[in-house]
Amino acid sequence: MTQAEIKLCSLLLQEHFGEIVEKIGVHLIRTGSQPLRAIAHDTGTSLDQVKKALCVLIQHNLVIYQVHKRGVVEYEAQCSRVLRMLRYPRYIYTAKTLYSDTGELIVEELLLNGKMTMSAVVKKVADRLTETMEDGKTMDYAEVSNTFVRLADTHFVQRCPWVPATENSDPGPPPPAPILVISEKDMYLVPKLSLIGKGKRRRSSDEDAAGEPKAKRPKHSTDNKEPIPDDGIYWQANLDRFHQHFRDQAIVSAVANRMDQIFRSLPVGYNISKQVLDQYLTLLADDPLEFVGKSGDSGGGMYVINLHKALGSLATATLESVVQERFGSRCARIFRLVLQKKHLEQKQVEDFAMIPAKEAKDMLYKMLSGNFISLQEIPKTPDHAPSRTFYLYTVNILSAARMLLHRCYKSIANLIERRQFETKENKRLLEKSQRVEAIIASMQATGAEEAQLQEIEEMITAPERQQLETLKRNVNKLDASEIQVDETIFLLESYIESTMKRQ
């Protein structure tokens, strides 16, 4: 765990859950697994606060626990899961793209709450959708439920592990912590619920649906509540399935960019004749990128997607792009040359790239100091004398990808800190703007005249409005930059993970 990753985890935890949860989470990231009392002692936090913080972290799958032989429960942070909070907007947007607004809100609710029952998600989403509809229109629970089922069928949401039922006659003390289990066949099994009803709009804070003041509202007994039909069956977003979708889309986009004319000439609906399909597949299989491979010739052969080579090509293209942006097009030419030739001496680099010796030497040193290329020494004699040693430049893609990934983590941490600074510097103006907006909304609800609303709006001066616009523009740029850097992080992480699995 690098310091850049720890810092980024700290910023994400603080931004989403506050200082106490951040303190406990970062402590566990730094120290590894620890029991409850050790966490409280080392952080100087009360047991009650530690318990509440751990509940939040466990609810959002950011901490796991394990019962050891002596009955001690130890808690361990999941740093990689904390870093996934960066990708929440992308998960939500993907759900919107695939399953419209309803799918977007379902995934958003699961990410915001960590774990929820299906019935709770359906009711909450139906209420939120009803709020956005015209007066008189409502969203049916059944329609939201159908979208939830589609998300489960495509594995974008999955069941959480649960405590297996035990017989009451079982003697002996209960375990120090519950043991959660789940079978693979039940992970996407949706309970049969007959959710009947429609979404509800939020009532006024002072009156209920009958128009009675809040103070006169009778207190209803909690004993009359109907049992929840799916009580104990909790669901969560399946981030691995989203990552699979991102990976597939990245590969498709890369092939489309390389063979754009092919894809534009495809007939609508992909009703392709066998002869034309064979031509396309042969073209893909013969492409130097080797995204698609062919094995055997019987029955026309078997075509497969070579995921590792595809991810390697995407990671390499990312490295080339960074080299070009940082060092210029001539350095990028040398970088691609070394990639292609595997190992080159300095004189060979000068000759192949057709760049003067002094410039080539300077460019190689820049990339070497930036860890984009490496230098390999091959001695002719055991004494490693420089005059009798070959010095070969090479590109270690795995090492360069790790270096770039580390820099991406630092970049996102800097972006988050900059956004927080911008917001803090304009805190007074933001609070004033929110108060004015609240007053205007309240007056509109009571039927205020346009002149009165105009008078309230003028409470914010023209220079203040310009300052707010500048702040909004800057924050939007920072948010967009975070998302773009995270796309690079995803490609690099996918390549590194694929490479480690093959070793």
Side-chain angles (χ1 to χ4, degrees):
M1 182 59 54
T2 64
Q3 288 300 316
E5 288 173 287
I6 294 173
K7 181 181 179 181
L8 183 53
C9 286
S10 173
L11 289 168
L12 290 169
L13 288 172
Q14 186 174 20
E15 194 170 48
H16 284 77
F17 305 112
E19 292 182 1
I20 296 176
V21 174
E22 181 263 339
K23 180 195 284 188
I24 303 303
V26 171
H27 174 73
L28 288 175
I29 289 172
R30 291 184 183 277
T31 60
S33 59
Q34 274 198 324
L36 179 65
R37 294 193 177 275
I39 298 170
H41 176 268
D42 293 348
T43 59
T45 311
S46 67
L47 272 176
D48 185 53
Q49 286 182 322
V50 174
K51 288 178 182 177
K52 289 178 180 177
L54 287 173
C55 283
V56 171
L57 291 166
I58 292 171
Q59 172 74 9
H60 288 268
N61 301 310
L62 306 178
V63 162
I64 58 173
Y65 60 84
Q66 188 175 3
V67 183
H68 290 272
K69 292 181 179 179
R70 295 183 180 180
V72 178
V73 181
E74 289 193 347
Y75 300 89
E76 182 180 350
Q78 302 292 290
C79 181
S80 61
R81 185 61 179 75
V82 176
L83 294 173
R84 294 293 81 81
M85 288 194 287
L86 279 172
R87 217 161 280 157
Y88 279 9
R90 196 175 175 193
Y91 300 142
I92 294 168
Y93 180 73
T94 299
K96 179 183 179 71
T97 305
L98 297 175
Y99 299 103
S100 72
D101 293 346
T102 308
E104 173 193 8
L105 293 184
I106 289 172
V107 172
E108 184 179 343
E109 286 295 328
L110 289 174
L111 290 173
L112 288 175
N113 294 279
K115 302 178 179 72
M116 292 180 76
T117 61
M118 177 179 171
S119 56
V121 173
V122 168
K123 291 174 183 176
K124 186 72 179 290
V125 170
D127 290 347
R128 288 182 62 183
L129 288 170
T130 300
E131 285 284 336
T132 63
M133 291 180 170
E134 299 175 0
D135 290 340
K137 292 186 178 181
T138 55
M139 172 62 70
D140 287 337
Y141 288 167
E143 191 172 340
V144 181
S145 181
N146 289 339
T147 304
F148 191 100
V149 171
R150 290 168 64 199
L151 281 164
D153 288 343
T154 50
H155 297 185
F156 283 102
V157 299
Q158 62 183 15
R159 279 195 188 189
C160 303
W162 64 82
V163 181
T166 56
E167 297 183 8
N168 297 331
S169 59
D170 187 20
I179 299 173
L180 306 178
V181 297
I182 189 169
S183 60
E184 190 172 346
K185 65 182 180 67
D186 293 333
M187 288 180 72
Y188 309 102
L189 182 64
V190 181
K192 293 181 180 179
L193 304 177
S194 55
L195 296 172
I196 302 172
K198 296 177 181 292
K200 300 177 180 62
R201 298 179 188 274
R202 283 181 292 184
R203 305 295 180 185
S204 170
S205 58
D206 298 322
E207 297 184 1
D208 64 3
E212 296 178 350
K214 190 176 180 181
K216 294 183 179 179
R217 224 177 280 161
K219 292 184 179 179
H220 298 284
S221 172
T222 57
D223 298 334
N224 296 330
K225 283 186 177 179
E226 295 182 3
I228 301 173
D230 57 344
D231 189 23
I233 303 176
Y234 289 89
W235 293 81
Q236 62 188 354
N238 183 5
L239 304 190
D240 289 338
R241 177 65 181 88
F242 280 98
H243 292 168
Q244 180 187 342
H245 178 77
F246 298 158
R247 180 202 66 196
D248 295 346
Q249 289 301 112
I251 294 173
V252 170
S253 298
V255 173
N257 290 334
R258 187 172 177 84
M259 302 180 177
D260 189 44
Q261 296 298 327
I262 296 177
F263 281 84
R264 273 192 274 182
S265 65
L266 286 176
V268 178
Y270 292 95
N271 297 318
I272 312 169
S273 65
K274 185 178 184 304
Q275 183 181 0
V276 176
L277 179 62
D278 286 342
Q279 291 175 356
Y280 289 144
L281 289 172
T282 302
L283 191 61
L284 287 168
D286 292 342
D287 189 79
L289 289 180
E290 297 182 352
F291 279 20
V292 175
K294 182 182 179 182
S295 59
D297 293 317
S298 60
M302 178 78 73
Y303 292 90
V304 294
I305 302 293
N306 193 328
L307 291 177
H308 178 68
K309 286 191 176 180
L311 292 172
S313 297
L314 293 172
T316 303
T318 301
L319 289 168
E320 288 180 16
S321 176
V322 172
V323 169
Q324 179 150 347
E325 290 295 321
R326 187 170 177 185
F327 303 113
S329 58
R330 303 185 86 184
C331 274
R333 189 201 308 174
I334 292 176
F335 184 81
R336 285 191 291 268
L337 182 64
V338 177
L339 265 175
Q340 183 183 5
K341 301 294 185 180
K342 307 298 184 185
H343 296 88
L344 285 176
E345 290 185 277
Q346 183 177 321
K347 184 67 171 66
Q348 292 176 308
V349 171
E350 298 164 10
D351 294 340
F352 284 127
M354 293 183 289
I355 295 175
K358 186 178 179 181
E359 291 183 30
K361 184 178 181 180
D362 183 54
M363 292 173 184
L364 285 168
Y365 177 75
K366 284 180 181 178
M367 289 188 284
L368 188 63
S369 59
N371 295 320
F372 287 95
I373 63 174
S374 54
L375 192 61
Q376 187 174 350
E377 297 181 5
I378 303 179
K380 296 179 184 177
T381 55
D383 60 357
H384 286 259
S387 59
R388 292 184 293 275
T389 301
F390 291 112
Y391 294 93
L392 302 179
Y393 289 97
T394 185
V395 176
N396 186 329
I397 298 177
L398 180 60
S399 176
R402 283 178 170 151
M403 174 275 300
L404 187 57
L405 180 62
H406 175 75
R407 291 186 179 177
C408 286
Y409 287 138
K410 290 178 70 175
S411 297
I412 287 200
N414 291 339
L415 289 168
I416 293 174
E417 286 184 325
R418 182 65 194 181
R419 189 181 68 242
Q420 291 175 346
F421 172 79
E422 292 275 352
T423 307
K424 186 179 179 181
E425 285 290 298
N426 295 275
K427 184 178 180 182
R428 183 199 61 80
L429 185 56
L430 286 170
E431 289 175 349
K432 180 180 178 180
S433 174
Q434 289 169 357
R435 285 197 302 270
V436 170
E437 288 176 1
I439 294 170
I440 291 173
S442 177
M443 292 179 69
Q444 285 175 335
T446 56
E449 296 180 359
E450 188 65 31
Q452 292 175 308
L453 297 175
Q454 186 69 25
E455 186 178 347
I456 298 298
E457 287 180 355
E458 289 175 356
M459 290 174 64
I460 300 179
T461 64
E464 286 177 332
R465 289 192 183 282
Q466 188 176 0
Q467 191 176 345
L468 283 170
E469 283 298 318
T470 302
L471 173 65
K472 182 180 178 182
R473 188 164 57 250
N474 290 343
V475 170
N476 286 341
K477 282 182 180 178
L478 292 168
D479 288 340
S481 299
E482 279 184 47
I483 294 171
Q484 289 174 346
V485 175
D486 182 63
E487 289 178 4
T488 302
I489 288 175
F490 174 74
L491 286 177
L492 295 173
E493 284 181 339
S494 299
Y495 167 70
I496 293 169
E497 183 182 355
S498 174
T499 304
M500 297 308 295
K501 284 181 180 178
R502 292 170 65 89
Q503 290 181 354

